Each structure stands twice: as C-alpha cells, then as structure tokens.
Amino acid sequence: MKHIFIINPKAGVRNSFDTLKKEIEDIKNLDYVIYETKAHRDAIIFVKEYITEHPGEELRFYACGGDGTLFEVINGASGASNVEISCVPVGSGNDFLKYFGDPERFKDINNLVNGTVCDIDLLKFNDIYIANIFNIGFDSRVVVKQAKIKKWPLMSGKGAYNLSVFFSLFGKMSWKCKLLVDEEVVYDGKMTLAAIANGICYGGGYYCCPKAKVDDGLIDICLVKKVSILTFAKLVGKYKAGRHLDDEKVMKHLIYKQGKKIQLELSKVLPYSADGEIDYSNNVNIEIVNKCCKFVVPKV
C-alpha cells in the first residue's frame, strides 16, 4: 500500500511540515509520498489526479491539517474504491476526530499507519461530500466572521469561534424556514440555526448532535427555533456541552430529528458551512451515503 501524506502548511498556528516529515521518515519500510498543498482546494485536485494515475493500486491518503484539509481529501477521493483515508490533526479545529475520542491519538503516525479501517457514512450536498457537519443560520455567520478573526495574531481556531459568537449576537438572529425530514414537514417557522450532522461537534467543540453516529446510515439535525438574545445566551452553554437534549426547558426551543434525507427551505439566501467550507444557499438538500468511505483510526 502507498501512504500519501497531504500536509496543509497553513493549518494550525505554526508550520508542521518539517516535524511531520521527520516522523514519517522514521517509520521503517513505509512506502510513502509527501505532498504540501499550495492553495485552497489544491488537495482535491492532487488526490483526484493521483488516483487517476495509479489505477487499482491500494492507496491511503492522510489529511495533515484540520477539518478543511480532510474535506478536500475526501472530496478528491470520492467514488474511488481502492482508497482509504485518515487524518493527522495539525489544524485548529479537528472536530470530526472528536467522535473517535481524543484527537491527539491521531498524531501518533506509527499507530495511524498500523491503524484499523472503519466504514463510515458521508453526507452528500449537491456535488460535495461532508464528513462532519453542515450548518446554516446564526452559526454559519459565525464561521464567516471566524475566518477573519483567525487571521489576528496568536488567535486559535477555538478562540476565534467563541469571539465570533459574541460579535454575531448583535446581528440578525432568525430566518423563516421549512424543514423536511424524509420528505415529511416537521417544522415551518423561524429558525436561529440548523446543524445537519454526521459527526457530533463543530466550531472547536460545540456538541450540537451528541446522538449522531458516523456509521448508522442516518443524518442528525438539530434546529434551534427563533430565540431572543437572552434565551440564546442561556441555552448556548448546554448546546456547546451537548446537554441540550436532556433539558426540557431547552428542548422546547429545538427540533432534533434523524433521517436519511434532510431538506431545508429558507426565505433568504444565507451563508452555510460544510466542514468549514463557506458558500451561500436558500435551498438545502442533503442525503446520507451509507458506509461509502474507508476511514482509518489509530491502532489501540
């Protein structure tokens, strides 16, 4: 098997290229390639071309960065049956890996090379695949602000997200929407945000969908109805900790459902975030693709 390490030099707060390169070189008898990304979405192009140039060969790609780098590797490899994927967390968020426990485990390159392959689901939205979470509304506006704040000196991804939440509280906080789960209308009213999930958390540790499983063939959605700033401030702590589904006072402000297809019709075009990738839409259609990705977790 060929092991291809795709390193995003801009991930995290410092360049990890030299450190990772040495760790990879120290593994004996490893057939490997190291590629350093040069621009946004460069990994998608590289992975697609590499797979095309090595037909039928067993390949394993390691996304060395954050959730955004993993997003690019997964979308570059989509449809290839001879490919496995893993992630070395040198990014600022690495929220998808939290489903599997402590993301720090994935930094042990040797254990990752000798890891276990799991078949996981992906979400499909238009022509892209999502490993973790699609979010729209208040929190997607937060992500737009976060991208700007992350450029501030010494600002981590988690710190930038929390600061973005604070700034976003002073803008518009609700939009009219219609939510359909498996083509059945389950809500028609105003929403503050919606998180459509395969994984369990985003934004540096906001556990929006704690019941989600990455291999159950189901999508989890948590929709927060229109709330005041005061109510939002009261419930955000439990939302972040993943305790919002256990509190009846919080649940009256939520819609939490599972299904194979999620449709969200919005009265206005809004920014959305798909594993950190920003774009805009007012009509969201997301389906589950069951166990379509071979994902490698570290050897215990």
Side-chain angles (χ1 to χ4, degrees):
M1 174 176 281
K2 179 80 75 174
H3 298 260
I4 305 103
F5 294 85
I6 299 175
I7 301 176
N8 178 2
K10 295 183 179 180
V13 295
R14 61 185 176 84
N15 193 323
S16 303
F17 185 86
D18 293 336
T19 302
L20 283 174
K21 187 172 182 289
K22 185 178 187 309
E23 291 178 6
I24 294 163
E25 290 172 343
D26 286 343
I27 300 175
K28 294 181 179 179
N29 304 316
L30 184 68
D31 185 8
Y32 70 89
V33 171
I34 295 176
Y35 179 77
E36 185 174 8
T37 59
K38 300 172 179 62
H40 179 60
R41 292 186 168 254
D42 180 39
I44 297 178
I45 298 168
F46 172 79
V47 171
K48 283 183 177 179
E49 290 180 349
Y50 197 95
I51 292 170
T52 301
E53 293 166 1
H54 298 78
E57 186 176 344
E58 290 187 339
L59 307 173
R60 182 185 293 174
F61 292 94
Y62 300 81
C64 304
D67 292 316
T69 309
L70 179 60
F71 170 89
E72 292 194 17
V73 171
I74 283 174
N75 280 278
S78 62
S81 60
N82 59 318
V83 170
E84 297 173 357
I85 294 171
S86 192
C87 183
V88 181
V90 293
S92 56
N94 305 303
D95 286 304
F96 178 68
L97 297 186
K98 291 169 185 172
Y99 177 85
F100 302 96
D102 186 357
E104 291 295 310
R105 295 194 306 124
F106 284 77
K107 289 185 177 180
D108 189 324
I109 305 295
N110 189 62
N111 280 351
L112 203 52
V113 165
N114 296 289
T116 303
V117 179
C118 305
D119 292 322
I120 67 167
D121 306 335
L122 296 176
L123 308 182
K124 188 174 183 182
F125 171 61
N126 295 336
D127 60 346
I128 64 172
Y129 291 88
I130 302 163
N132 195 34
I133 288 170
F134 175 104
N135 56 289
I136 192 165
F138 175 83
D139 48 356
S140 57
R141 291 174 69 240
V142 167
V143 175
V144 172
K145 286 183 171 61
Q146 180 194 23
K148 297 176 181 178
I149 294 174
K150 277 176 68 175
K151 296 177 182 178
W152 296 0
L154 303 176
M155 180 60 68
S156 68
K158 185 176 180 179
Y161 191 88
N162 289 334
L163 197 55
S164 298
V165 170
F166 174 76
F167 287 145
S168 297
L169 288 171
F170 299 98
K172 186 174 174 60
M173 288 188 59
S174 66
W175 301 267
K176 193 168 187 326
C177 74
K178 182 185 291 184
L179 171 65
L180 295 85
V181 178
D182 294 336
E183 300 186 350
E184 179 185 347
V185 177
V186 297
Y187 180 68
D188 190 350
K190 287 194 172 183
M191 73 161 202
T192 294
L193 63 87
I196 301 169
N198 187 41
I200 56 176
C201 71
Y202 66 137
Y206 282 74
Y207 287 80
C208 57
C209 294
K211 292 183 177 181
K213 297 184 184 300
V214 299
D215 59 359
D216 62 354
L218 295 171
I219 307 169
D220 285 50
I221 177 166
C222 182
L223 182 147
V224 179
K225 302 174 186 176
K226 179 183 177 180
V227 291
S228 66
I229 293 177
L230 182 59
T231 300
F232 186 86
K234 288 179 179 178
L235 66 82
V236 71
K238 291 189 177 181
Y239 181 81
K240 181 177 181 181
R243 299 197 307 269
H244 49 299
L245 305 184
D246 303 320
D247 189 320
E248 291 183 4
K249 291 181 180 179
V250 175
M251 279 300 296
K252 70 181 183 180
H253 300 293
L254 306 179
I255 300 290
Y256 194 99
K257 295 287 184 180
Q258 293 178 316
K260 296 183 180 296
K261 183 177 180 181
I262 302 294
Q263 296 167 267
L264 191 61
E265 301 170 4
L266 296 154
S267 60
K268 182 180 179 181
V269 173
L270 294 176
Y272 67 77
S273 172
D275 284 352
E277 294 289 305
I278 301 295
D279 211 328
Y280 295 79
S281 182
N282 64 340
N283 196 349
V284 177
N285 291 276
I286 295 180
E287 297 182 355
I288 195 78
V289 186
N290 190 217
K291 295 185 177 180
C292 64
C293 177
K294 297 181 176 68
F295 190 76
V296 181
V297 298
K299 178 183 177 182
V300 178

